Amino acid sequence: MKKVCKYAVAAAIIAFLVYHSIYFENLEDIKQQRRKGTFNAAEYAREFWDNQLFSVFDKAVDVEELIELFNTNMNEAVRKYGKAPGVSRVYSYLIKGNGKILTIAKDFLEVSIRETQTNPDIKITTGFYIPGNAVRDASGLIDVSEFSDTMKFNEISGEINKIVVKEVIRPFLEEKPQVGNTIRFLGATQVSQEATEAKEFQLIEVVPIRLRLE
Amino acid sequence: MVRKLFLLTIAILALTLFVSGCRQKKQAKTDQEKAQGKKKIAVVISTLNNPWFVVLGNTAKERAEQLGYEVTIFDSQNDTAKESDHFDNIIAGGYVAILFNPTDADGSIANVRKSKEAGVPTFCIDREINSNEVAATQILSDNYTGCVELGQYFVKRMDEKGKYVELLGILGDNNTWNRSKGFHSVVDNYPELKMVSQQTAEFDRTKAMEVLESTLQAYPEIDAVFCGNDAMAMGAYQALVAAGKADKVMVFGFDGAKDVIDSIHDGKIVATGMQFPKRMARMAAEQADEYIKGRRDFPQKVPVAVELVTQENIAKYTAYGRQSEQ
């Protein structure tokens, strides 16, 4: 009997310790929580495109002014207009302007924005695949710290670029632009701080957000 | 019986009091140490078996020491259980901050949470954890964008056609998927570029060599190998040398490690993405110092851009960074 009591007390102590060391949670509850937390990049991009992006259109810098700053004072261009999500030599810019189409290539237009209009100043992307984060970052509206997993932040760029192709580039190309046409645009570009150090300054590439023939 | 039961209860209570007493003495000793000597910072690295991470750890240590701290490096050996043990020791040992290179984006969250609850801030370096609630800040390589750029260069070098193999890193590491997805976000748009094999070699040079040797048995005619890090790129290159194909198959890596930078210089490996381990490690040490001195407004995630290094621009770069930053 004494032994039985001893074992009973020992068992009770062990049971007490084990009970407070282990937690049981319903697997279905966990799965439901995870489903609620599932991120939909396409929906996010849609909401951004429809309801947020237009709010920064008035912050777009005139492309002629920006190119002038790139050539004379890159640091000032970065300070005044550049956006980057973290530490980078590449900054994104929201830009606007108009110009004349000088060349129509497979994936881009070469456009002159200067009055003399003999040499191209910018390239406007018109391909059906757009890499990069220009629109996402130039807007300054999406904060990487909103996302617990940066892959979600990355997926947003891909979805925004798909919208650009479908809703900006394709309709523009259906209007059958020609060399010599004048266009008006608002878009985003990414330029390295070291761009002006290259032997030849490359034409800046603009991802269009708004693009129309005049 | 009642007497024996009473004695057993007293013994349990005494043991409990003894253990908590020891903890208080240790805390008192730690407080005394803090008052008298340098504060301690811990640097926890996923693995010291990879030279890139050795540079990350050593740079963090060096910068923290310059800022006046006593620093210890802990090697998690890619094992979340070891990592957990390190965190327990760090918390008990009175460290005031942790500079942390996580082993697993999900598995490491609990460790950072327990250090936060113990009042020890954690600063993630290079790799993230999938939580915005527990680390003081996370300084990350922008692997996705880096691999978008690498992917564009890959397409250009492959002339938009050909067969290639992909070697992935550790499957539980977000960096593995950020790199792979960034690469594929470009390359998959070119239907004449065909991936014949995609396997993990766990960021390990020896495993990469073995995996590619085996892959070449099944697919002897390939044009390129894309590797999720430079250690695997070196292993892949070794396998190609052994197979007599090193001059026919292009190898692309990611990290900016010394052996690959030297290899690019020599015209062997074609390209890599330069992460900046020294830059990230210094930032982490400096932000830990700012935190200890009172700053709290850190952005949760800080992406650090990755730069494409090729045989054309190799002169600007050296191991683990730019020439101009050394």
Side-chain angles (χ1 to χ4, degrees):
Chain A
M1 190 57 192
K2 288 180 185 176
K3 264 194 185 171
V4 169
C5 287
K6 235 195 277 185
Y7 288 145
V9 168
I13 291 168
I14 290 167
F16 176 81
L17 290 172
V18 166
Y19 179 77
H20 284 286
S21 305
I22 298 173
Y23 300 89
F24 292 97
E25 290 191 36
N26 187 298
L27 183 60
E28 275 314 303
D29 289 343
I30 301 289
K31 284 182 180 173
Q32 261 205 349
Q33 281 169 25
R34 284 199 177 160
R35 273 195 290 271
K36 276 183 200 164
T38 299
F39 176 73
N40 188 317
E43 279 179 14
Y44 189 106
R46 186 80 256 166
E47 154 69 20
F48 166 78
W49 186 270
D50 292 340
N51 299 320
Q52 295 179 49
L53 184 55
F54 68 86
S55 69
V56 294
F57 283 1
D58 59 344
K59 295 196 172 97
V61 57
D62 186 81
V63 65
E64 207 169 339
E65 178 192 336
L66 187 64
I67 292 177
E68 179 62 23
L69 261 184
F70 284 156
N71 286 316
T72 56
N73 193 336
M74 177 61 86
N75 288 340
E76 184 67 2
V78 168
R79 188 191 67 79
K80 272 179 100 167
Y81 302 115
K83 298 248 185 313
V87 176
S88 178
R89 285 189 176 84
V90 175
Y91 286 81
S92 300
Y93 302 85
L94 203 61
I95 59 175
K96 64 184 180 192
N98 53 38
K100 192 174 186 179
I101 299 175
L102 297 182
T103 308
I104 299 178
K106 182 179 146 209
D107 294 330
F108 58 87
L109 310 174
E110 285 187 343
V111 174
S112 173
I113 57 166
R114 291 167 296 154
E115 283 190 17
T116 49
Q117 297 183 334
T118 52
N119 291 318
D121 300 295
I122 64 173
K123 278 184 185 177
I124 295 192
T125 302
T126 53
F128 291 160
Y129 157 65
I130 303 175
N133 310 312
V135 178
R136 182 195 73 188
D137 293 344
S139 72
L141 293 170
I142 302 177
D143 182 0
V144 63
S145 294
E146 273 178 50
F147 306 92
S148 59
D149 174 356
T150 50
M151 196 58 229
K152 296 171 185 159
F153 183 65
N154 296 325
E155 285 168 1
I156 291 166
S157 264
E159 293 300 328
I160 291 171
N161 292 342
K162 285 179 193 170
I163 294 174
V164 168
V165 169
K166 188 177 168 199
E167 299 180 17
V168 180
I169 292 174
R170 283 190 205 272
F172 174 77
L173 292 177
E174 281 165 11
E175 290 185 69
K176 307 240 186 284
Q178 305 292 323
V179 170
N181 285 161
T182 304
I183 58 163
R184 183 167 290 279
F185 64 90
L186 183 143
T189 186
Q190 291 188 294
V191 178
S192 167
Q193 278 183 289
E194 297 173 326
T196 46
E197 293 168 17
K199 283 181 187 162
E200 292 172 20
F201 185 69
Q202 302 291 315
L203 297 182
I204 62 169
E205 295 185 24
V206 181
V207 177
I209 298 169
R210 295 286 186 268
L211 180 61
R212 68 168 199 268
L213 290 172
E214 289 212 304
Chain B
M1 171 60 209
V2 172
R3 189 165 174 263
K4 279 187 182 171
L5 191 60
F6 177 72
L7 287 173
L8 182 63
T9 309
I10 294 295
I12 291 168
L13 281 172
L15 186 66
T16 310
L17 283 169
F18 176 73
V19 167
S20 81
C22 283
R23 282 199 184 140
Q24 283 176 12
K25 273 190 193 166
K26 208 167 188 176
Q27 182 61 44
K29 190 179 171 200
T30 306
D31 290 340
Q32 196 183 28
E33 276 175 350
K34 279 183 199 172
Q36 288 174 351
K38 290 182 179 181
K39 291 181 179 170
K40 298 193 295 181
I41 285 181
V43 176
V44 182
I45 300 294
S46 57
T47 174
L48 293 177
N49 198 32
N50 180 323
W52 194 92
F53 289 106
V54 173
V55 169
L56 188 76
N58 285 345
T59 307
K61 179 175 193 283
E62 189 185 303
R63 188 65 187 119
E65 284 173 344
Q66 284 170 353
L67 292 165
Y69 298 93
E70 186 185 314
V71 185
T72 308
I73 296 180
F74 296 80
D75 179 3
S76 301
Q77 299 176 36
N78 278 335
D79 181 339
T80 43
K82 281 203 172 62
E83 184 184 275
S84 180
D85 289 342
H86 289 325
F87 269 72
D88 288 338
N89 292 332
I90 288 163
I91 291 164
Y95 288 81
V96 297
I98 304 172
L99 310 185
F100 179 41
N101 173 238
T103 302
D104 185 287
D106 287 316
S108 296
I109 296 173
N111 294 329
V112 181
R113 179 176 291 115
K114 73 181 165 188
S115 75
K116 182 183 177 185
E117 287 167 0
V120 183
T122 301
F123 301 79
C124 293
I125 328 174
D126 173 54
R127 292 177 177 172
E128 66 181 342
I129 52 172
N130 290 337
S131 168
N132 282 357
E133 309 297 324
V134 291
T137 188
Q138 304 186 47
I139 299 162
L140 318 167
S141 271
D142 191 352
N143 289 277
Y144 182 89
T145 306
C147 274
V148 165
E149 205 180 345
L150 189 84
Q152 289 174 287
Y153 186 69
F154 179 93
V155 167
K156 183 177 154 189
R157 289 300 304 262
M158 290 283 277
D159 203 19
E160 301 184 11
K161 58 183 181 292
K163 294 178 189 171
Y164 70 95
V165 169
E166 182 181 2
L167 297 182
L168 294 167
I170 294 171
L171 299 181
D173 180 357
N174 280 4
N175 282 344
T176 292
W177 299 110
N178 281 336
R179 293 171 197 179
S180 182
K181 288 183 181 180
F183 177 81
H184 284 285
S185 76
V186 176
V187 173
D188 290 357
N189 290 286
Y190 298 87
E192 291 190 80
L193 280 169
K194 295 190 192 307
M195 183 174 72
V196 298
S197 170
Q198 182 192 57
Q199 292 187 69
T200 178
E202 297 181 8
F203 287 142
D204 185 82
R205 179 174 179 152
T206 305
K207 284 198 178 104
M209 190 176 72
E210 291 165 357
V211 168
L212 190 61
E213 276 172 355
S214 169
T215 304
L216 286 170
Q217 301 294 317
Y219 302 101
E221 300 303 323
I222 60 169
D223 304 293
V225 184
F226 166 55
C227 304
N229 82 336
D230 279 348
M232 294 193 295
M234 291 305 295
Y237 189 79
Q238 263 180 276
L240 290 167
V241 166
K245 292 177 188 284
D247 55 347
K248 292 180 193 142
V249 179
M250 292 188 282
V251 177
F252 297 76
F254 196 89
D255 270 344
K258 183 180 187 322
D259 42 12
V260 165
I261 293 296
D262 290 345
S263 181
I264 294 174
H265 242 294
D266 296 340
K268 295 174 181 172
I269 287 183
V270 168
T272 187
M274 175 60 76
Q275 300 192 76
F276 290 92
K278 294 183 180 180
R279 186 186 291 174
M280 290 191 288
R282 286 179 193 132
M283 277 176 68
E286 287 159 9
Q287 291 191 4
D289 180 54
E290 288 173 29
Y291 186 103
I292 291 161
K293 288 170 179 165
R295 183 186 163 194
R296 292 291 184 271
D297 61 337
F298 298 95
Q300 178 58 210
K301 305 253 178 174
V302 182
V304 176
V306 171
E307 296 180 8
L308 179 67
V309 182
T310 66
Q311 290 170 4
E312 290 86 20
N313 70 0
I314 185 67
K316 271 202 272 191
Y317 296 93
T318 184
Y320 313 111
R322 285 191 164 213
Q323 296 278 7
S324 55
E325 290 174 357
Q326 303 309 307

